[in-house]
Amino acid sequence: MINYSDIPSPCYVLEEQKLIQNLEKIAAVQQQAGITVLLALKGFAMFSAFPIVKRYLSGAAASSLYEAMLIREKLGGSLHLYLPAYRPDEFDQLIQGASHITFNSLTQWEHYREKTRSAGLSPGLRINPEFSPVIHDIYNPASPYSRLGVRAENLSGKLPEGIEGLHCHNLCESDAADLETTLEQIEKLFGHHLPQIRWLNLGGGHLMTRQGYDIEHFIRVMTQFKARYPHLEIYIEPSSAIAWETGFLRATVLDLVETPGPAIAMLDVSFTAHMPDCLEMPYKPRIQGARQPQDGEPTYRMGGATCLAGDVMGMGDYAFDKPLQIGDAIVFEDMIHYTMVKTSMFNGVQHPSIGIIRRDGTFELIRQFNYDDYKRRLS
Ligand SMILES: Cc1ncc(COP(=O)(O)O)c(C=O)c1O
């Protein structure tokens, strides 16, 4: 049993045992499917957990200079790079120690070809498979006007000389059937290039740690694909799957405000600053001990700590067994992947601390943020 009173509020809390379970599952898939799994830092960059990650994974994917630096400093292993556009003033520093680099356009490849060659990195091109199961455009990299990846019609009969890999990211919290369709689409649009390359990176979005994900299907699809292209080294680079359901955001009710509708629980966390996906996607997170209200039941709406009028959980209210009281703990489930990396210090609201519940059940406070953290981002 977790003792929430030991945990400062607000606080993102990683449950070590759950991360290990995810990594064990992913490592088994990696081995059985004969592929290499990289950690994409964009969705999970909690480096205090990297000593655990590196016991299972041998590399990571960076999409910015700072992610690359964090990988080099805290994770080690092979470093794969993909940035939508590279900055000339960063490029030399960025590629240090990297093994693979993916370009988003032919122009970018032309521009950085010589530097890439002389540094000995294996270069690839991001392709747009013109298929994605994602319905929200904000997370659909293959939408009709997507800026991400080269379309088949823009590649002539042959890949540019020197390109050794292709990279495709079009999934998001997807299942193995979507991977199968993606591979069919890649073969249909880019199949004639596959004999020419050495590696294929199938991006992220493979949510193999979600309950009900058909892992056997994933392994079957990968094995069949590899049998058709035995010369290819296959990578995937998930974030969500690694940190999926590995922890929570602990918050506190500071006040209760009556409205003509539901009562609003005023929290010490913010949706816009600390859980932006709740507004962007949008989605309704689970709260421990709360349920979907039945007709006529007293309900509570969760209200954020900033002055933004829309800083509320707009996707639905919650019912609790007992009326909420000021000082009650509110525990938002599954708040580790993306949530922590997407935070801002908007409105100067208290930034959630970061902690870990170790395997033996003890809580370790890793980091607390203060006024200086806020001030240092401004001038
Ligand atoms: C290029 C690329 N790779 C990997 C990922 C990780 O995806 P996920 O967290 O859904 O596994 C993303 C997510 O946006 C991405 O853009």
Side-chain angles (χ1 to χ4, degrees), residues 32-320:
Q32 286 172 48
I35 61 168
T36 302
V37 181
L38 310 165
L39 164 67
L41 238 67
K42 54 180 75 62
F44 182 61
M46 184 178 169
F47 55 88
S48 51
F50 284 1
I52 304 172
V53 173
K54 66 180 165 198
R55 297 209 293 262
Y56 299 90
L57 304 183
S58 60
S63 284
S64 64
L65 173 62
Y66 294 163
E67 283 184 358
M69 290 168 76
L70 194 60
I71 291 169
R72 288 196 285 258
E73 185 186 329
K74 297 285 186 186
L75 192 61
S78 64
L79 170 59
H80 294 233
L81 302 169
Y82 161 72
L83 272 69
Y86 292 94
R87 292 175 61 104
D89 59 341
E90 287 184 352
F91 195 77
D92 291 344
Q93 194 189 355
L94 175 72
I95 62 176
Q96 277 170 37
S99 56
H100 296 67
I101 183 165
T102 296
F103 295 93
N104 189 56
S105 73
L106 294 168
T107 333
Q108 283 266 297
W109 158 241
E110 282 300 319
H111 193 78
Y112 292 103
R113 184 176 51 191
E114 283 321 311
K115 280 191 176 225
T116 302
R117 262 195 194 144
S118 52
L121 274 75
S122 181
L125 270 186
R126 178 160 174 173
I127 51 171
N128 179 342
E130 296 175 45
F131 158 76
S132 174
V134 181
I135 46 172
H136 296 282
D137 265 352
I138 187 173
Y139 289 129
N140 177 1
S143 65
Y145 301 117
S146 175
R147 70 193 196 293
L148 305 169
V150 183
R151 291 166 168 272
E153 70 197 33
N154 297 328
L155 281 177
S156 58
K158 268 184 88 187
L159 285 175
E161 194 258 311
I163 288 293
E164 297 180 353
L166 293 177
H167 181 296
C168 168
H169 170 76
N170 64 327
L171 304 178
C172 179
E173 298 187 6
S174 303
D175 55 29
D178 294 322
L179 169 66
E180 188 166 18
T181 312
T182 300
L183 288 172
E184 282 164 15
Q185 190 71 0
I186 291 176
E187 286 187 276
K188 186 169 125 201
L189 295 179
F190 301 93
H192 54 297
H193 298 307
L194 296 180
Q196 243 185 289
I197 55 168
R198 292 204 289 119
W199 54 268
L200 177 65
N201 183 326
L202 293 166
H206 314 271
L207 198 46
M208 54 184 68
T209 47
R210 171 162 58 192
Q211 224 184 356
Y213 185 98
D214 191 344
I215 284 180
E216 292 310 314
H217 191 172
F218 179 95
I219 294 170
R220 202 166 53 244
V221 167
M222 277 324 331
T223 315
Q224 287 166 357
F225 184 80
K226 280 167 58 84
R228 292 198 291 283
Y229 306 98
H231 67 291
L232 282 185
E233 202 161 336
I234 311 282
Y235 299 98
I236 61 168
E237 45 175 40
S239 281
S240 301
I242 287 163
W244 185 254
E245 294 191 334
T246 56
F248 54 87
L249 174 58
R250 186 243 198 268
T252 300
V253 179
L254 297 178
D255 196 8
L256 292 158
V257 170
E258 294 303 325
T259 77
I264 304 207
M266 305 288 278
L267 304 177
D268 61 352
V269 286
S270 157
F271 292 97
T272 188
H274 310 140
M275 296 174 268
D277 275 341
C278 293
L279 303 184
E280 282 175 14
M281 259 306 255
Y283 85 101
K284 182 182 176 189
R286 278 176 291 119
I287 292 179
Q288 240 175 59
R291 56 176 187 279
Q292 191 64 20
Q294 305 299 308
D295 273 354
E297 210 178 6
T299 61
Y300 293 91
R301 185 160 295 176
M302 296 299 130
T306 73
C307 301
L308 177 75
D311 192 0
V312 286
M313 180 65 260
M315 287 303 289
D317 301 331
Y318 298 84
F320 294 82

Side-chain angles (χ1 to χ4, degrees), residues 2 4 7 11-13 15 247-250 331-332 335 357:
I2 297 168
Y4 293 101
I7 301 172
C11 188
Y12 293 107
V13 181
E15 294 172 74
F248 54 87
L249 174 58
R250 186 243 198 268
V331 177
F332 290 96
M335 283 293 165
I357 295 179

